[in-house]
Amino acid sequence: GAVVSQHPSWVICKSGTSVKIECRSLDFQATTMFWYRQFPKQSLMLMATSNEGSKATYEQGVEKDKFLINHASLTLSTLTVTSAHPEDSSFYICSASGLAGGTYEQYFGPGTRLTVT
Amino acid sequence: AQSVTQPDIHITVSEGASLELRCNYSYGATPYLFWYVQSPGQGLQLLLKYFSGDTLVQGIKGFEAEFKRSQSSFNLRKPSVHWSDAAEYFCAVVFYSSASKIIFGSGTRLSIRP
């Protein structure tokens, strides 16, 4: 299957600073990328959907000004957590989807663990 | 409303015993269906998926799942579990009308008794 990478795999930042997380589809042109967050011992919650070259669509309750998503190319999407606070500490996972071999495929990145101190 | 439910939060089975994890969905048509496994602190690993065709799907690590349209279910099974199967298991669905968003169930934590 295709490979989706995330960078960094973990990051610690101070409260009030901004953090950018990259999601790359290494061998797959992702028409759509998704961002999820996962709190400890909980399921993945979809934050937003981004299509290449257009604005992201945010799920209800997700602050678009706090979680800035850019999907500039078919292989790269970024999530920027602005003015991070300790409650933003979480595991952030991206996924890339599109048609491959005539079927729908979605591939997940390994996740980025964010700790805000 | 579109939803996916995993009714069991935590299941403990003995090593070597059989396993069945339940997953139900609510949708007017057949969605795409997936099972993922996640070990602590790790990302997701796809076990198997169902789009159409044969309703019994074989996956990796000896897992299988059966789609039952009449019950709106997609239960995951394994005939004999190993201690390494201890992890969190997520059922997930893609509803056609939702722009291909994968929606995850709440997860089932599997513990293995020696």
Side-chain angles (χ1 to χ4, degrees):
Chain A
V3 176
V4 176
S5 68
Q6 283 185 238
H7 178 79
S9 55
W10 60 270
V11 57
I12 301 173
C13 71
K14 291 187 176 181
S15 187
T17 61
S18 295
V19 174
K20 180 184 285 188
I21 302 170
E22 291 186 349
C23 175
R24 290 185 184 275
S25 172
L26 300 181
D27 55 358
F28 175 61
Q29 292 201 322
T31 51
T32 305
M33 287 187 171
F34 302 90
W35 287 95
Y36 296 82
R37 67 186 298 181
Q38 184 182 32
F39 292 110
K41 299 188 186 300
Q42 294 189 24
S43 186
L44 283 76
M45 298 301 297
L46 180 65
M47 299 175 66
T49 303
S50 72
N51 293 295
E52 184 261 340
S54 62
K55 289 185 178 180
T57 301
Y58 291 81
E59 296 297 303
Q60 191 172 11
V62 177
E63 299 175 59
K64 62 180 181 181
D65 294 330
K66 181 168 186 61
F67 299 99
L68 301 179
I69 292 172
N70 183 277
H71 191 168
S73 76
L74 286 173
T75 59
L76 174 64
S77 176
T78 60
L79 167 68
T80 301
V81 183
T82 62
S83 186
H85 289 94
E87 57 266 31
D88 298 324
S89 299
S90 188
F91 193 49
Y92 292 87
I93 302 175
C94 73
S95 71
S97 76
L99 288 176
T103 64
Y104 169 86
E105 297 290 350
Q106 184 161 123
Y107 302 99
F108 285 85
T112 296
R113 186 162 303 283
L114 170 63
T115 302
V116 184
T117 61
Chain B
Q2 301 164 352
S3 65
V4 55
T5 303
Q6 291 180 250
D8 303 307
I9 297 173
H10 183 205
I11 285 181
T12 301
V13 299
S14 298
E15 189 168 16
S18 63
L19 169 71
E20 181 168 27
L21 301 182
R22 296 183 291 166
C23 174
N24 294 92
Y25 66 88
S26 174
Y27 188 51
T30 301
Y32 295 147
L33 297 155
F34 307 82
W35 275 99
Y36 289 89
V37 61
Q38 185 181 37
S39 297
Q42 301 297 312
L44 297 172
Q45 182 178 26
L46 178 66
L47 289 175
L48 45 78
K49 60 187 177 185
Y50 174 78
F51 291 168
S52 64
D54 192 346
T55 56
L56 184 62
V57 181
Q58 300 298 319
I60 62 172
K61 302 185 176 185
F63 286 94
E64 67 176 26
E66 185 173 12
F67 168 63
K68 292 186 177 180
R69 185 189 307 275
S70 61
Q71 298 177 19
S72 297
S73 68
F74 188 57
N75 294 348
L76 181 72
R77 301 194 294 247
K78 187 170 184 177
S80 176
V81 298
H82 187 262
W83 64 267
S84 60
D85 293 324
E88 188 84 19
Y89 290 80
F90 294 99
C91 178
V93 302
V94 171
F95 300 114
Y96 303 149
S97 60
S98 65
S100 301
K101 295 186 290 189
I102 281 191
I103 305 301
F104 285 85
S106 53
T108 298
R109 183 161 60 94
L110 175 64
S111 297
I112 306 297
R113 190 185 301 120

